[in-house]
DNA sequence: TGAGATGATTCCCT
DNA sequence: AGGGAATCATCTCA
C-alpha cells in the first residue's frame, strides 16, 4: 500500500505538474517560470487526494462512504481518473493489447466446418448427413440396413441435441457472466480508474475464455460424430451372404445370359427387387461372377449344368402350363412345332436374342419370351440327353462358348447372338477361345 | 482353425 | 460411368 501510494503520488506529480497529460485535463498549464509555490501547492493537493484514496480502506464504513462521496464530488476527480486510466492503459494493459486482435483460430474453423458438414451445427438436414446418405446408398435398402441407418440418424440427432443444449448453456452463461462483470466494472469505475475500453477488453477476455470452452465442446462433439460415423461406415464392410434364393435368381440369370452376362439397368433393378438387394449389389455380384467365371470356367461348369437343368425344369412346368393353355384356348401355336430339331446351346441366350431383336426390356418380355425359348430348350435337352444326369448333354448346354479370344464376352448386339436362333442343328458354339 | 467362397472396395482403363 | 482386375474382409464349412 505504501509503495502504491508513493508510486501514484509520483506518477500523479509527474503528469500533472509536468503538463504532459493529454485529454480531459482540467488544469491549465502554469505559465513558464511560475511553477514554484503554485505548482507545489497543487502537487500537495493531488498528493492529499491520492493519499485519501489509498487510505480509504483503513477507515470505517461510514467514514469511508463519506470520504468516497467527498472524493467523487471533488473537482479534481475526473481529471485524476482520466490520468490514472491513461497510465493504466499505457502500462499493464499494453501487454494484453497485443493479444487482442486474434486471427480466427484455424482449428475452430475446422471444427465449425466439420460440424456444419455433418449436420450437427447449422440448419437441420433431416437428421441425416453425407455419411448417412452415402452409407445408406452403399448398404442398400434391406430392413437391417434401414434399421442401422435410422439408428445412425437417431444417434446423430441425439448428438446434435446435446451439442445445441450445451452450446445454449454456454452462451447463456457467457452472457450472464459478461453482464455481471460489466456491471461490476462500471460500478467500480466510480472508485477505480476503469475506462470503457478496459471494460470492453475484459468482455473480450471473457468471450475468449468461453469460446475455448465452446471449442472443447465442439471438439468432443466432432469426436462423437467421428466415432459414430466410423462405426456406421465400418458396418458397410461387414458383409452378409445373400440368401440362397437370391443367389439362385442371380445365377439363373447369369447362366441363362452367359453369352452376355451384362444385365441392363432395368434387369438389374428387377433382379435387385427379386433378390431383396440393391442394384449396386447386383452389379457387384455380376462383376464378381463374370471375373470368377472367366478365371475358372472349369470350376463353374458344374454350376452351369445345374442351372441348365434347373432352367429346363422350370421351363418344363411352363411348357406344360402353356400347352395346357394352348390346347384349351388356341389350336395352333406359332412355335410349338417349329423347333423340334432346334439345337439351342443356351436357352437364356435364346431369350436374350429375342429380347435384342424385339428391343424389349427384361421386365416386359422376359417371362413370355423365356417360356417360349424354354420350350425349345427343354425339347432339345430331353431329346439329346434323355435326362439331366448326362454330363455331356449338360456340357453342351453351358459350354463357355461366349468368351471371345480376348477373354471378353461377345457383345449382346453382335450378330452371333442375334443369329443364334436361326442356326441349324448342332450349332453349339465352339470353345476355341478357352 | 484354415481354406475356400463371397460380397465389397479400390484402382485403373476405356 | 461402367467394367475388369486385384484385393480386402468376412462368412462358411469341413
Amino acid at each position: 500500500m505504501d509503495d502504491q501510494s508513493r508510486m501514484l503520488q509520483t506518477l500523479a506529480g509527474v503528469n500533472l505538474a509536468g503538463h504532459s497529460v493529454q485529454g480531459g485535463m482540467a488544469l491549465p498549464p502554469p505559465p513558464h517560470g511560475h511553477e514554484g509555490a503554485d505548482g507545489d501547492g497543487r502537487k500537495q493537493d493531488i498528493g492529499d487526494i491520492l493519499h485519501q484514496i489509498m487510505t480509504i480502506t483503513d477507515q470505517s464504513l461510514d467514514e469511508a462512504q463519506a470520504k468516497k462521496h467527498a472524493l467523487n464530488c471533488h473537482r479534481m476527480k475526473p481529471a485524476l481518473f482520466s490520468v490514472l486510466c491513461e497510465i493504466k492503459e499505457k502500462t499493464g494493459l499494453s501487454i494484453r493489447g497485443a493479444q487482442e486482435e486474434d486471427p480466427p483460430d484455424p482449428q475452430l474453423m475446422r471444427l465449425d466446418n466439420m460440424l456444419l458438414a455433418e449436420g450437427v451445427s447449422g440448419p437441420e438436414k433431416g437428421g441425416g448427413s453425407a455419411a448417412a446418405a452415402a452409407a445408406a446408398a452403399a448398404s442398400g435398402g434391406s430392413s437391417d440396413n434401414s434399421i442401422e441407418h435410422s439408428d445412425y440418424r437417431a444417434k446423430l440427432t441425439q448428438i446434435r441435441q446435446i451439442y445445441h443444449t450445451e452450446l445454449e448453456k454456454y452462451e447463456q452463461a457467457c452472457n450472464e457472466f459478461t453482464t455481471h462483470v460489466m456491471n461490476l466494472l462500471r460500478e467500480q469505475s466510480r472508485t477505480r480508474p476503469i475506462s470503457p475500453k478496459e471494460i470492453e477488453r475484459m468482455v473480450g477476455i471473457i468471450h475468449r475464455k468461453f469460446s475455448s470452452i465452446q471449442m472443447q465442446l465442439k471438439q468432443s462433439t466432432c469426436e462423437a460424430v467421428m466415432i459414430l460415423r466410423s462405426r456406421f461406415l465400418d458396418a458397410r464392410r461387414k458383409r452378409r451372404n445373400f440368401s440362397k434364393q437370391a443367389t439362385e435368381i442371380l445365377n439363373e440369370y447369369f447362366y441363362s445370359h452367359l453369352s452376355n452376362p451384362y444385365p441392363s439397368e432395368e434387369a438389374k433393378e428387377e433382379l435387385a427387387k427379386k433378390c431383396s438387394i440393391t442394384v449396386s449389389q447386383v452389379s457387384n455380384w455380376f462383376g464378381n461372377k463374370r471375373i470368377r467365371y472367366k478365371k475358372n470356367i472349369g470350376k463353374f461348369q458344374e454350376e452351369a449344368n445345374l442351372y441348365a437343368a434347373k432352367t429346363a425344369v422350370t421351363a418344363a412346368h411352363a411348357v406344360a402350363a402353356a400347352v395346357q393353355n394352348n390346347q384349351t384356348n388356341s389350336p395352333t401355336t406359332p412355335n410349338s412345332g417349329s423347333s423340334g430339331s432346334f439345337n439351342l446351346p443356351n436357352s437364356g441366350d435364346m431369350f436374350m436374342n429375342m429380347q435384342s431383336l424385339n428391343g424389349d426390356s427384361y421386365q416386359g418380355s422376359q417371362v413370355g419370351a423365356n417360356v417360349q425359348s424354354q420350350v425349345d430348350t427343354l425339347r432339345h435337352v430331353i431329346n439329346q440327353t434323355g435326362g439331366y444326369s448326362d454330363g455331356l448333354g449338360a456340357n453342351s448346354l453351358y459350354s463357355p462358348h461366349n468368351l471371345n479370344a480376348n477373354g471378353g464376352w461377345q457383345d449382346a448386339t453382335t450378330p452371333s447372338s442375334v443369329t443364334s436362333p436361326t442356326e441349324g442343328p448342332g450349332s453349339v458354339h465352339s470353345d476355341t477361345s478357352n
Side-chain angles (χ1 to χ4, degrees), chain A residues 257-327:
Chain A
H257 295 75
L258 206 53
S259 68
N260 187 51
Y262 299 89
S264 64
E265 274 307 303
E266 289 84 4
K268 279 180 194 171
E269 277 169 28
E270 183 73 17
L271 286 168
K273 211 186 286 178
K274 277 184 183 173
C275 301
S276 301
I277 56 176
T278 63
V279 173
S280 65
Q281 282 176 305
V282 172
S283 298
N284 280 342
W285 190 92
F286 273 89
N288 284 325
K289 190 74 183 178
R290 280 191 298 266
I291 286 167
R292 285 163 188 167
Y293 177 83
K294 210 190 318 190
K295 266 188 180 172
N296 197 349
I297 291 163
K299 196 184 83 181
F300 287 95
Q301 200 63 59
E302 202 179 329
E303 191 178 66
N305 296 340
L306 197 77
Y307 280 99
K310 213 171 190 159
T311 310
V313 170
T314 313
H317 290 135
V319 167
V323 166
Q324 186 97 31
N325 215 20
N326 287 338
Q327 278 174 348

Side-chain angles (χ1 to χ4, degrees), chain A residues 375-386:
Chain A
V375 174
D376 301 330
T377 309
L378 182 68
R379 283 189 179 139
H380 166 69
V381 170
I382 292 167
N383 289 341
Q384 196 181 41
T385 66

Side-chain angles (χ1 to χ4, degrees), chain A residues 345 349 399 401-402 410 416-417 420 423 426-432:
Chain A
D349 281 352
S399 59
H401 56 277
N402 298 301
Q410 289 167 9
S416 72
S417 306
S420 63
E423 284 173 336
S427 70
V428 173
H429 299 226
S430 65
D431 191 20
T432 50

Side-chain angles (χ1 to χ4, degrees), chain A residues 181-241:
Chain A
V181 168
M182 275 171 76
N183 289 338
L184 208 65
L185 289 174
R186 278 202 198 105
E187 183 64 32
Q188 287 196 353
S189 69
R190 288 190 203 168
T191 52
R192 286 207 296 138
I194 299 169
S195 63
K197 207 173 173 184
E198 198 184 335
I199 295 173
E200 210 176 289
R201 193 175 290 123
M202 189 57 80
V203 168
I205 290 166
I206 293 165
H207 281 177
R208 270 197 295 279
K209 288 282 171 202
F210 271 90
S211 78
S212 75
I213 297 168
Q214 272 188 9
M215 193 156 97
Q216 283 174 19
L217 171 70
K218 284 174 182 176
Q219 202 154 8
S220 52
T221 307
C222 278
E223 278 168 17
V225 172
M226 282 292 105
I227 290 165
L228 180 67
R229 191 176 170 157
S230 67
R231 271 188 201 159
F232 187 74
L233 291 179
D234 280 349
R236 282 190 314 172
R237 282 200 85 89
K238 280 200 171 179
R239 64 173 195 82
R240 235 169 269 170
N241 286 355

Side-chain angles (χ1 to χ4, degrees), chain A residues 62-74:
Chain A
D62 286 346
E63 225 178 348
Q65 207 68 27
K67 191 75 58 97
K68 210 170 103 180
H69 187 255
L71 281 168
N72 274 335
C73 300
H74 198 279

Side-chain angles (χ1 to χ4, degrees), chain A residues 4 7-8 11 15 80-97 185 188-199 201-202:
Chain A
Q4 268 183 313
M7 190 183 76
L8 274 170
L11 284 167
N15 285 311
L80 188 60
F81 258 54
S82 171
V83 170
L84 288 173
C85 283
E86 200 162 321
I87 293 165
K88 208 172 165 187
E89 196 73 33
K90 280 180 182 168
T91 53
L93 295 173
S94 60
I95 303 156
R96 290 177 201 164
L185 289 174
Q188 287 196 353
S189 69
R190 288 190 203 168
T191 52
R192 286 207 296 138
I194 299 169
S195 63
K197 207 173 173 184
E198 198 184 335
I199 295 173
R201 193 175 290 123
M202 189 57 80

